[in-house]
Amino acid sequence: MGIVKKLEVSRTEGLTYSESFLQNDDLLPVPEDKRTWGHWNFIAFWIADSFNINTWMIVSSMIQLGLSWWQAWICVWIGYGLVSPFIVANARPGAIFHVTFPVVARTSFGVWGSLWCVFNRGAMACIWYGVQASIGGSCVLVMLRAMWPSVNNIPNHMPESSGTNTRDFMCFFLFWLISLPAIWFPIDKIRHLFTLKAIIVPIAGITFFIWCIVKAHGVGPIIRQPGTLHGSALGWGMVSSIMSCISNMATLVTNAPDFASRARHPSAAGLPQLISVPLGFSIVSFFGVIVSSSSQAIYGEAVWSPIDLLGKFLDGNPSHATRFGAWFIAASFIVAQLGTNISANSISAGCDLTALVPRFINIRRGGYVAAIVGLCMLPWNLLKSSNSFTSYLSAYSVFLSSIAGVMITDYYVIHRGHYRVKDLYNVRKDGWYWYTFGINFRAYAAYLSGIIINVVGFAGATGRDVPLAATRIYEMSFFTGFGVSAIIYYTLNMLFPVRGVHECTRFEEVDVSADVDSVGSEEGQERDFDKKSMVSEGIRSVRSNV
């Protein structure tokens, strides 16, 4: 029993058994001294997040589809421009009430019903942590080759069944190892890593950009390559490309409150994100186009992966200047992958796993759990079957867009900005978020509807014959999933209004916990809750901020 007690995380004493499943210090509203993210921190966060290898290569699939480079680049601008308002919209409750995604999800799905949504997002974060770490391992290989070329010739002692070799696993493990200290820092402190990345990595990207143009004596043939799609095929090709950008951001749309909960002012999570998301991702993808076009002039084929291209620079007998340049750029991409893994996966997994096991897991421990899962899942095997893995990711964006559709509709349309923060942390039957046995079946009906409309189209994406209309619906899966779930959720709430909705007559972002009628048994229940919980302090800070 003593060992179990030592394993518990910091939380409020005297909680009931049910309440112990709903709160610990990382699930309560963020204290004022930890709301340290200002406007520039959110800008730096998205600049840092956009500089990664996936963004660098995102245009490649569009050009292979038949678009010209400028058509593909327009798709990137439109895609990230369309998704940024969804990020801002879902971040808003986190910025106002200073609670993370798992707690915000309780308002629409219920105190227990939210756990499935949290599990979905947490599982996705753990999988992506391993994938991004595997990509980071390839950056480590190039950096080591630049210093010690013999690293490339390390003999293999791994069995064929492992799916990798000694050299690649060593590089993966090194990247995994150097990521562990970054997980230790809390969200209010880790912002400094994103600021550092936002300075170093763009310098490396610009250096790489100029270096390749000089080496190729121009921008290369891809810039002059016309598109091969015309008419409706071109239109749907661009739609598909735009949606691929949006689908890549579905995970960050869903858990936007995690970072917004640390906002110094609600406005910090608004306009800075709205502008920096499309700007950052579009600039990085442009670098990717030009560098890959230059590579075709140099090697006779387009090399879309910047790490593969750096590896080619190191083949043969490169000069000391070439080796130093490759080392600097590869080291910067290591920082890029590290920052992306922390922002998009480690912190997200930490917040989600905290809600699943609040007695024993906080955000820091959850981040380390994600790292362990990422190591054990052998992510290099997922990357080998890229087609099936990409199909899986596209399907998963449908799950997440349906969750976002319910959450955003609930906040802006149903409850109109009103929260009862106390009810997020207790299981009182008269609480706003108790619904039916802690589950809001309206939300689940809407959530499943947003998934079902895309099921037939997903079957077509896996190779089965399906009607063209189903394929078109699936190609717009984020909007169809989001839109259907939002409409169904709104309709069900009009037919079967939830508790407290009649009190939300106008849109007003306010915590109404203190306005509850303090008569009868409810008064006694609330006094008990205040004695046992520190949530009331969080409520006071929320109200003063609003």
Side-chain angles (χ1 to χ4, degrees):
M1 196 68 179
I3 296 176
V4 172
K5 190 71 176 174
K6 288 182 178 179
L7 290 175
E8 292 181 352
V9 300
S10 175
R11 60 198 181 101
T12 306
E13 296 295 331
L15 300 176
T16 66
Y17 182 74
S18 297
E19 288 166 358
S20 68
F21 283 93
L22 291 175
Q23 62 173 284
N24 63 24
D25 285 356
D26 281 346
L27 288 171
L28 294 176
V30 177
E32 193 166 359
D33 62 321
K34 293 186 178 180
R35 302 174 197 168
T36 56
W37 283 54
H39 291 71
W40 285 108
N41 294 120
F42 280 97
I43 292 172
F45 171 80
W46 285 111
I47 292 174
D49 193 73
S50 63
F51 267 91
N52 63 71
I53 293 173
N54 288 338
T55 308
W56 193 278
M57 298 172 58
I58 196 166
V59 172
S60 64
S61 60
M62 303 178 192
I63 291 178
Q64 290 167 6
L65 188 65
L67 300 181
S68 66
W69 79 269
W70 63 268
Q71 290 169 339
W73 199 43
I74 287 174
C75 291
V76 172
W77 273 103
I78 294 174
Y80 287 104
L82 287 175
V83 80
S84 58
F86 290 93
I87 294 172
V88 172
N90 209 30
R92 184 70 181 179
I96 292 291
F97 300 100
H98 303 286
V99 289
T100 56
F101 158 67
V103 180
V104 174
R106 292 174 186 176
T107 63
S108 48
F109 285 88
V111 289
W112 301 130
S114 63
L115 294 179
W116 170 248
C117 306
V118 171
F119 172 78
N120 267 266
R121 179 64 190 97
M124 190 69 163
C126 290
I127 292 170
W128 263 115
Y129 188 96
V131 171
Q132 293 286 7
S134 184
I135 296 171
S138 65
C139 301
V140 172
L141 174 59
V142 173
M143 188 186 75
L144 293 179
R145 280 187 64 196
M147 293 188 291
W148 302 293
S150 59
V151 167
N152 205 40
N153 302 318
I154 291 176
N156 180 37
H157 300 289
M158 304 278 287
E160 189 175 342
S161 59
S162 67
T164 187
N165 56 54
T166 302
R167 181 200 65 188
D168 292 348
F169 180 77
M170 177 193 74
C171 295
F172 165 78
F173 187 76
L174 284 173
F175 180 86
W176 183 86
L177 202 61
I178 63 176
S179 300
L180 298 183
I183 298 175
W184 181 264
F185 293 96
I187 300 177
D188 56 297
K189 303 291 185 185
I190 200 64
R191 71 189 193 280
H192 300 305
L193 171 64
F194 304 134
T195 302
L196 177 67
K197 179 183 170 182
I199 296 170
I200 293 175
V201 182
I203 292 173
I206 293 169
T207 301
F208 198 18
F209 176 80
I210 296 172
W211 187 14
C212 288
I213 291 175
V214 171
K215 196 176 180 70
H217 304 291
V219 293
I222 290 179
I223 298 299
R224 296 182 292 275
Q225 179 179 305
T228 58
L229 298 179
H230 305 281
S232 62
L234 173 61
W236 281 105
M238 294 187 73
V239 167
S240 177
S241 299
I242 290 168
M243 294 309 303
S244 70
C245 298
I246 295 173
S247 296
N248 284 339
M249 299 292 284
T251 54
L252 289 165
V253 169
T254 308
N255 74 297
D258 290 343
F259 299 98
S261 65
R262 268 67 181 177
R264 198 174 296 139
H265 304 287
S267 60
L271 190 61
Q273 298 196 97
L274 195 66
I275 295 173
S276 56
V277 170
L279 187 63
F281 283 86
S282 298
I283 290 174
V284 175
S285 66
F286 178 73
F287 283 178
V289 171
I290 300 301
V291 169
S292 299
S293 181
S294 300
S295 73
Q296 186 163 340
I298 300 168
Y299 295 106
E301 61 175 345
V303 182
W304 287 100
S305 168
I307 295 304
D308 290 347
L309 182 56
L310 284 174
K312 281 183 172 291
F313 286 1
L314 294 175
D315 290 341
N317 295 304
S319 66
H320 291 298
T322 297
R323 287 172 58 184
F324 175 77
W327 174 86
F328 172 69
I329 295 169
S332 299
F333 272 113
I334 290 173
V335 176
Q337 288 301 116
L338 171 62
T340 298
N341 226 7
I342 296 298
S343 63
N345 302 314
S346 170
I347 290 174
S348 301
C351 292
D352 298 335
L353 295 175
T354 295
L356 295 176
V357 195
R359 185 178 175 186
F360 297 104
I361 296 181
N362 55 22
I363 293 175
R364 178 180 291 159
R365 291 184 183 182
Y368 285 114
V369 170
I372 292 169
V373 173
L375 175 65
C376 296
M377 62 179 272
L378 311 181
W380 49 84
N381 289 326
L382 281 178
L383 292 172
K384 283 181 180 177
S385 54
S386 58
N387 289 336
S388 58
F389 183 58
T390 302
S391 298
Y392 162 75
L393 291 180
S394 298
Y396 222 89
S397 71
V398 174
F399 287 81
L400 298 178
S401 66
S402 297
I403 293 172
V406 171
M407 290 174 63
I408 290 175
T409 304
D410 184 86
Y411 184 74
Y412 290 95
V413 181
I414 305 304
H415 282 110
R416 300 181 186 179
H418 292 67
Y419 261 43
R420 267 176 60 173
V421 176
K422 285 185 180 180
D423 289 349
L424 292 167
Y425 301 98
N426 70 68
V427 291
R428 293 205 330 263
K429 304 298 185 292
D430 61 343
W432 274 16
Y433 313 117
W434 176 248
Y435 296 111
T436 306
F437 301 111
I439 302 172
N440 185 1
F441 291 102
R442 305 164 192 79
Y444 269 94
Y447 165 70
L448 292 173
S449 299
I451 295 170
I452 290 171
I453 193 172
N454 288 293
V455 166
V456 177
F458 173 68
T462 59
R464 294 192 172 93
D465 291 328
V466 299
L468 180 61
T471 301
R472 298 307 189 207
I473 289 172
Y474 181 70
E475 286 177 343
M476 299 186 293
S477 57
F478 180 88
F479 289 115
T480 52
F482 183 98
V484 168
S485 63
I487 292 169
I488 296 296
Y489 186 65
Y490 173 78
T491 303
L492 290 175
N493 275 278
M494 293 301 100
L495 295 174
F496 310 101
V498 296
R499 186 179 290 110
V501 71
H502 295 300
E503 300 174 32
C504 310
T505 55
R506 62 192 177 114
F507 186 82
E508 184 182 14
E509 294 173 307
V510 61
D511 171 28
V512 298
S513 298
D515 300 332
V516 178
D517 184 18
S518 57
V519 297
S521 60
E522 192 173 73
E523 181 186 23
Q525 289 172 349
E526 290 201 7
R527 278 201 303 265
D528 274 350
F529 184 72
D530 283 337
K531 289 176 184 177
K532 294 182 293 183
S533 173
M534 295 174 67
V535 176
S536 55
E537 290 187 23
I539 294 167
R540 281 195 292 273
S541 63
V542 167
R543 290 183 65 83
S544 65
N545 187 62
V546 173

